[in-house]
Amino acid sequence: MIHDSMSMGTAGIVCIVSMLIVFAVLLILYAATMIMGTVVGKAVKKPAAAKAAAPKAVAAPAAPKQDDGELMAVIAAAIAAIEGRNPMVRNREDLD
């Protein structure tokens, strides 16, 4: 511990050196993370290349598009019921 008072110049130097140390360690951590990401990325790409050589399966037909309006209304009513609110369900024709 420091028992004597420190001059402003000394305190400034201590502050700047401390900040430089912190940023140097952060830079080292950043570099280590980037290096590890590169090494792991190369290790992951090798098995993916082997899978690409395998014959591709025929894609399944896409599911038909459906209207999710009714499903959303049922989910909204269920949430309102759980929360204890009284959901007012109106027909769209009533509003026109």
Side-chain angles (χ1 to χ4, degrees):
M1 291 185 71
I2 300 174
H3 297 288
D4 297 328
S5 63
M6 201 185 293
S7 70
M8 287 299 286
T10 306
I13 291 172
V14 169
C15 180
I16 291 173
V17 169
S18 299
M19 286 184 191
L20 288 174
I21 291 171
V22 167
F23 285 115
V25 171
L26 286 174
L27 185 63
I28 291 168
L29 287 173
Y30 173 74
T33 304
M34 294 302 290
I35 291 170
M36 283 188 271
T38 305
V39 170
V40 170
K42 287 181 181 177
V44 170
K45 288 180 184 176
K46 288 180 183 176
K51 288 182 183 178
K56 294 185 179 183
V58 178
K65 297 256 180 182
Q66 63 182 13
D67 183 24
D68 291 336
E70 185 177 350
L71 177 63
M72 290 189 305
V74 169
I75 292 172
I79 292 171
I82 289 172
E83 291 177 350
R85 292 186 285 148
N86 184 11
M88 294 190 64
V89 180
R90 295 186 179 179
N91 194 351
R92 181 171 262 186
E93 288 99 28
D94 293 342
L95 297 174
D96 291 332

